[in-house]
């Protein structure tokens, strides 16, 4: 299964959701790969403890190699890094990824990621792709390469307004490039059950027929702590309520 976690809005929980679902998947014995397409490298750092500046072998090499006709290539096995957890690997981002964007775009390399993901899907049971907060070459490559799209939603009025546009963009990618792409659902993140407005927003989305997933993720300081320690929740606080919600969400997605 190749799954992209996407929302053009920043800070809605894409990297947190990507890494925590991937860590749970790996814990359940599934061979799992996280592909980090965001030059900020938050997922790469969360899963390895290293910053993008500290990594030699990254997605930069993959995309740079897509632009070269013949030269010594680094094999994917060199670019994909192990983590300290069994079954969990990461293909790290690089801070300079954006410097390749114009060339990749002008030379029609938008299907290269898909080809690579399909090769990796022979090896990995689950592939999770983290995306930058933009509809750019990299996130479009991911929407073309994925089978499913998960949309984190942060219960904010601006996010609510942007949702129509976001779903429209995904529909357009499906129509033009990837008929297999399914919107798996909207994941409500940082839910504060006591607050009225977020609940009202979620109810409106459901009434309008949007595919809101039944498991909502609560807001907890444990998330920030787990980022700081580079330890996904299932390893940091396995019994916490938010960890339980992630486990439940993964099982809903696996049905
Ligand atoms: N359920 C949660 N509870 C508390 N804090 C959270 C939760 N989910 C995410 N956060 C925090 O919100 C911030 C943004 O989360 P994250 O980096 O996952 O979002 P993002 O969509 O990947 O952001 P960007 O668009 O910049 O890549 C982080 O500091 C993270 O720790
Ligand atoms: Mg992120």
């Amino acid at each position: 299964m190749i799954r992209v976690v996407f929302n053009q809005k920043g800070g809605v929980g894409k990297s947190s959701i990507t890494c925590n679902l991937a860590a749970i998947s790996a814990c359940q014995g599934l061979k799992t790969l996280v592909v980090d397409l965001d030059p900020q490298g938050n997922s790469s750092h969360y899963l390895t403890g290293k910053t993008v500046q500290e990594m030699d072998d990254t997605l930069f090499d993959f995309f740079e190699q897509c632009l070269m006709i013949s030269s010594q290539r680094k094999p994917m096995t060199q670019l994909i890094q192990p983590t300290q957890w069994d079954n969990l690997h990461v293909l790290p981002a690089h801070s300079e990824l954006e410097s390749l964007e114009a060339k990749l775009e002008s030379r029609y390399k938008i299907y290269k990621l898909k080809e690579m993901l399909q090769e990796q899907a022979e090896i990995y049971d689950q592939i999770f792709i983290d995306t930058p907060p933009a509809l750019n070459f990299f996130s479009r490559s991911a929407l073309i390469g994925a089978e499913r799209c998960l949309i984190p939603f942060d219960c904010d009025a601006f996010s609510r307004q942007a949702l129509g546009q976001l779903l429209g963009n995904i529909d357009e990618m499906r129509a033009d490039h990837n008929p297999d792409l399914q919107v798996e659902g909207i994941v409500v993140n940082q839910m504060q059950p006591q607050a009225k407005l977020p609940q009202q927003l979620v109810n409106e989305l459901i009434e309008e027929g949007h595919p809101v997933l039944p498991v909502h993720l609560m807001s907890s300081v444990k998330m920030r702590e787990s980022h700081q320690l580079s330890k996904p929740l299932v390893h940091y606080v396995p019994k916490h309520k938010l960890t339980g919600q992630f486990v439940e969400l993964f099982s809903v997605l696996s049905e």
Side-chain angles (χ1 to χ4, degrees):
M1 174 57 57
I2 307 172
R3 176 182 285 117
V4 58
V5 181
F6 179 60
N7 190 325
Q8 285 148 254
K9 187 161 185 270
V12 293
K14 293 179 287 296
S15 305
S16 304
I17 291 171
T18 303
C19 294
N20 281 293
L21 288 177
I24 287 163
S25 159
C27 267
Q28 295 185 3
L30 300 167
K31 219 166 162 353
T32 305
L33 174 66
V34 170
V35 177
D36 185 1
L37 283 176
D38 183 356
Q40 297 179 97
N42 294 339
S43 283
S44 308
H45 184 250
Y46 193 8
L47 296 178
T48 66
K50 292 186 199 155
T51 63
V52 282
Q53 287 81 9
E54 289 172 312
M55 297 195 208
D56 291 330
D57 300 315
T58 69
L59 265 171
F60 187 90
D61 299 278
F62 166 75
F63 284 112
E64 195 180 39
Q65 287 168 190
C66 292
L67 293 166
M68 296 172 185
I69 292 169
S70 66
S71 68
Q72 276 238 310
R73 284 164 190 263
K74 290 185 184 176
M76 291 313 294
T77 46
Q78 184 179 337
L79 305 185
I80 293 173
Q81 313 291 317
T83 67
Q84 60 173 299
W85 299 286
D86 284 348
N87 300 319
L88 186 57
H89 292 82
V90 57
L91 181 46
H94 189 277
S95 52
E96 300 296 319
L97 267 182
E98 275 165 339
S99 67
L100 299 174
E101 192 172 353
K103 260 193 184 164
L104 288 164
E105 192 100 58
S106 67
R107 289 169 57 189
Y108 307 103
K109 304 295 183 187
I110 197 97
Y111 286 95
K112 288 289 175 188
L113 183 73
K114 186 184 188 98
E115 288 167 19
M116 185 270 277
L117 291 169
Q118 284 179 343
E119 282 166 24
Q120 296 307 318
E122 304 274 314
I123 302 166
Y124 290 93
D125 303 307
Q126 296 277 332
I127 300 178
F128 290 87
I129 312 168
D130 189 16
T131 49
L135 186 64
N136 63 12
F137 173 85
F138 298 106
S139 48
R140 283 188 288 114
S141 292
L143 289 167
I144 289 173
E147 297 160 282
R148 299 205 184 162
C149 178
L150 205 55
I151 303 170
F153 179 77
D154 64 354
C155 301
D156 170 283
F158 292 123
S159 301
R160 165 91 188 75
Q161 283 167 17
L163 193 64
Q165 169 96 45
L166 172 63
L167 292 167
N169 288 338
I170 295 171
D171 282 347
E172 193 177 342
M173 291 307 290
R174 183 190 305 108
D176 292 348
H177 299 283
N178 184 7
D180 298 333
L181 180 66
Q182 276 180 37
V183 173
E184 209 168 14
I186 294 167
V187 188
V188 174
N189 186 30
Q190 302 225 43
M191 189 68 180
Q192 288 164 323
Q194 310 87 323
K196 258 198 195 152
L197 190 66
Q199 190 58 57
Q200 203 177 312
L201 277 178
V202 171
N203 291 344
E204 277 173 31
L205 293 184
I206 296 170
E207 277 161 25
E208 287 167 18
H210 290 304
V212 179
L213 288 159
V215 184
H216 299 172
L217 302 170
M218 67 186 284
S219 181
S220 165
V221 291
K222 295 291 170 202
M223 181 64 89
R224 241 169 259 261
E225 292 171 11
S226 94
H227 275 272
Q228 264 160 17
L229 295 167
S230 289
K231 218 172 182 190
L233 293 166
V234 71
H235 299 292
Y236 175 46
V237 281
K239 296 201 161 50
H240 194 273
K241 193 169 172 195
L242 179 56
T243 313
Q245 290 169 344
F246 271 107
V247 172
E248 214 183 320
L249 177 62
F250 184 65
S251 94
V252 166
L253 299 178
S254 306
E255 274 166 10

